[in-house]
Amino acid sequence: PLLLSRYGDNLWKAYHEAVFEMAESTRDSRRAEDLASFHQYQLDPENLADVAEWHALTDQEDWRNNHVFGLQERELVECLQNRYVHKVTRCYYADLWKRYNLAEIGYQIHCATDTAWWDRPAWNSKVRFKQPQTLMQGADACIFIQYIPESGEMNEP
């Protein structure tokens, strides 16, 4: 109620702007960390097949080091040099928000902000992102598509 009284109809706009600002303000440090990690694994952030492998390798590290590891179950759908697609088949956040009939709030907090991190990621600003469906919106999986547009292809997701 306090946030609604302060922001009214602009609540989600203000929230999304804050998340995008945070993503942008940490871009340089995340870029350095991510590129060092790619280098450590001898992977190329220009090749999205390598990016898929990088995510798999960092997931292996995360199960030991990341306290929120395991909140999602993911599957690789497609892995090409210019296109990487995975889906989230189970998400603790979606389960929680839907259990309380508040999936729209969960979507705004967890899903609508994915673009801040996945579109033009710190490790490769050429990469674009699409998210055609989410569990929060009632789909059977969240779909994450990252791709490098071909020359002449529209740069908008």
Side-chain angles (χ1 to χ4, degrees):
L2 178 60
L3 288 173
L4 281 174
S5 69
R6 180 171 179 185
Y7 293 101
D9 292 340
N10 292 320
L11 172 65
W12 293 123
K13 181 180 181 218
Y15 176 76
H16 296 153
E17 286 174 358
V19 170
F20 278 80
E21 183 179 313
M22 179 176 40
E24 193 56 39
S25 70
T26 61
R27 177 174 290 281
D28 291 341
S29 61
R30 288 182 297 110
R31 178 175 173 73
E33 290 171 14
D34 291 349
L35 291 178
S37 180
F38 273 100
H39 181 74
Q40 171 191 346
Y41 291 117
Q42 299 176 342
L43 297 171
D44 179 6
E46 299 287 324
N47 181 336
L48 295 185
D50 278 5
V51 171
E53 186 175 345
W54 179 64
H55 280 134
L57 290 167
T58 56
D59 277 355
Q60 290 175 12
E61 291 175 6
D62 279 350
W63 79 266
R64 289 184 297 249
N65 306 322
N66 187 338
H67 66 282
V68 295
F69 181 81
L71 297 181
Q72 295 179 335
E73 292 176 8
R74 292 181 291 207
E75 294 177 12
L76 182 63
V77 174
E78 184 177 37
C79 179
L80 305 169
Q81 182 173 352
N82 290 323
R83 186 174 166 89
Y84 164 43
V85 180
H86 75 271
K87 66 182 178 177
V88 173
T89 56
R90 188 191 69 73
C91 174
Y92 171 80
Y93 299 117
D95 293 344
L96 179 68
W97 288 104
K98 287 162 78 174
R99 182 179 320 135
Y100 294 101
N101 295 315
L102 297 170
E104 179 57 27
I105 293 173
Y107 173 80
Q108 295 297 335
I109 292 172
H110 301 287
C111 308
T113 57
D114 284 339
T115 300
W117 313 103
W118 289 85
D119 190 52
R120 300 182 193 272
W123 44 264
N124 185 340
S125 63
K126 292 184 235 169
V127 174
R128 300 309 315 262
F129 172 69
K130 295 180 186 179
Q131 187 178 43
Q133 66 183 49
T134 68
L135 289 162
M136 293 279 194
Q137 294 171 310
D140 63 346
C142 299
I143 303 294
F144 289 76
I145 302 169
Q146 285 189 292
Y147 65 98
I148 299 173
E150 302 204 10
S151 59
E153 184 179 351
M154 292 210 28
N155 245 1
E156 291 303 314

